[in-house]
Each structure stands twice: as structure tokens, then as C-alpha cells.
Amino acid sequence: MQDSPGRDTRIALGLALTLRHDGHGSVADDLTDPAGLTAWVTDHPGLVPDGEGFTADAAALAAVRDVRAAARALFARAVRPGEPSPADAARLLPVPEAVRRLNEAAARTPTVPVLAWTGTAAPVVRAAPAEGARTDLAAALAQAVIGFLAGPDRQRLRACHAPRCVRYFLKEHPRQQWCKPSCGNRARVARHQERHRRTA
Ligand SMILES: [Zn+2]
């Protein structure tokens, strides 16, 4: 087993997974309106400093969707030579454009590094808003995505290609192929049916 993923990883994956399979054959999007974004932030306490009582507006939604589009384009880049998630494989931003947008969003909140070193754990550094800087949700998300992409967890990122699944996930062990056991079961059933069709 690997170490549990860090905060940046959890945030970056969480953002990417707001595009998800709806259980009926198409892709659902949790971030289609400001209320959806407010609900997502509320469901992820600690996501942004001052996240409690956060209410999204149209501008915040647009900025976060922009960061998500950049993140998913770079997730697709990160899983190469594997195939990206089929949810948006046909409409991915070009990589340089995604990098530019991510960096621009991250720059909206200037940060300073803050060291934490407690107990027997390894020291960790995290970015905190610089003094006087306003905390911007899209900036905080973009910074987490940058931390994830530049960190060691990126190498474990995979897209699940079980039938109907569109999830990105972190491989927990070397032979893992699917995001969860139920996906593995569906994939095996589909392969079996495919073989059966070909030999029938
Ligand atoms: Zn899956």
C-alpha cells in the first residue's frame, strides 16, 4: 500500500471527479450552476481557508470550471500513454493552454510557504495566502492541482476504462487496473460477453 494521498492530491482528484458517470450511461456534472459549486465546497470542508459559509456566484463558477478544464487536460497528459477519461477526451484543452490557465488562476492569490512539522511525521510545506491576500477559490484549487501534478502522486494517476466509468484514480498497488472492485467486475463481465459474441 502507498502512503495516503496528500491534501493537494485529494483536492485535485476531487475537482476532477465533479465530472462523473451518472449511473445511466451519460456524464453528470456537479458544477453546472453556482448552487452546485456551493454544495461541492460545503461537502469538502477544509478545501479553502474560510470555506465555511462560502456562496458561489457566476464568476466563481466560471473560474473554477476553467481550473477543472485545465486540470483534466493535464490529467489526460499525465496518464499517457494510457487513454484519458472518456468523459471529456474529445474536448481537452491543448496542454500549453491548460498550463497557462492553471498558472494564471493560481496567481490570483499570492501565497507564502508555511512549514508544519509535528510528532514523528515528515515535515510538510503548504502554501498559505500572503498577508493581506484575498483567498480565491479558483486560485486555491489551481495551486492544489499544481502541487499534485508536480508531486509524486501524479505517477499513480490512471483513468479507469471499465464500461461506463469515467473516473481518474490513484493506483494503490502495481497491478491495479480499475478504480474500484465493482469496475473490475463490470470489465470482466464485458470481456466475457465480448469473447462469447466472437466465438458464437
Ligand atoms: Zn472505474
Side-chain angles (χ1 to χ4, degrees):
M1 290 292 277
Q2 303 276 342
D3 293 341
S4 62
R7 182 174 178 277
D8 287 349
T9 299
R10 291 196 307 274
I11 293 173
L13 273 174
L15 176 64
L17 295 184
T18 55
L19 266 193
R20 56 187 174 77
H21 186 257
D22 70 354
H24 305 285
S26 40
V27 175
D29 185 346
D30 290 333
L31 305 182
T32 50
D33 56 15
L37 176 57
T38 302
W40 183 68
V41 171
T42 307
D43 287 347
H44 294 75
L47 191 66
V48 260
D50 324 318
E52 305 80 30
F54 169 83
T55 306
D57 56 18
L61 177 69
V64 168
R65 287 179 61 91
D66 226 40
V67 171
R68 182 181 64 179
R72 291 190 59 99
L74 298 174
F75 277 28
R77 166 71 182 80
V79 300
R80 282 186 205 161
E83 293 288 317
S85 159
D88 52 1
R91 51 187 169 89
L92 292 169
L93 289 172
V95 167
E97 170 77 7
V99 168
R100 190 181 60 75
R101 287 200 201 187
L102 199 59
N103 286 334
E104 273 180 13
R108 289 162 59 154
T109 299
T111 63
V112 292
V114 176
L115 178 72
W117 195 354
T118 50
T120 54
V124 289
V125 63
R126 59 177 287 186
E131 199 176 328
R134 197 175 52 88
T135 302
D136 177 280
L137 174 61
L141 294 172
Q143 289 162 9
V145 172
I146 288 171
F148 165 66
L149 289 171
D153 287 342
R154 182 199 70 247
Q155 294 168 19
R156 294 197 280 135
L157 185 70
R158 296 291 183 277
C160 181
H161 291 289
R164 301 194 301 281
C165 190
V166 298
R167 286 170 66 93
Y168 282 105
F169 67 99
L170 285 197
K171 251 165 96 125
E172 298 292 337
H173 48 84
R175 289 162 53 86
Q176 182 177 352
Q177 216 179 337
W178 318 106
C179 72
K180 49 182 189 276
S182 58
C183 275
N185 291 338
R186 273 207 318 286
R188 275 184 288 277
V189 168
R191 262 203 306 255
H192 179 81
Q193 287 170 344
E194 178 61 23
R195 263 199 307 270
H196 201 73
R197 257 200 303 278
R198 270 188 273 130
T199 54

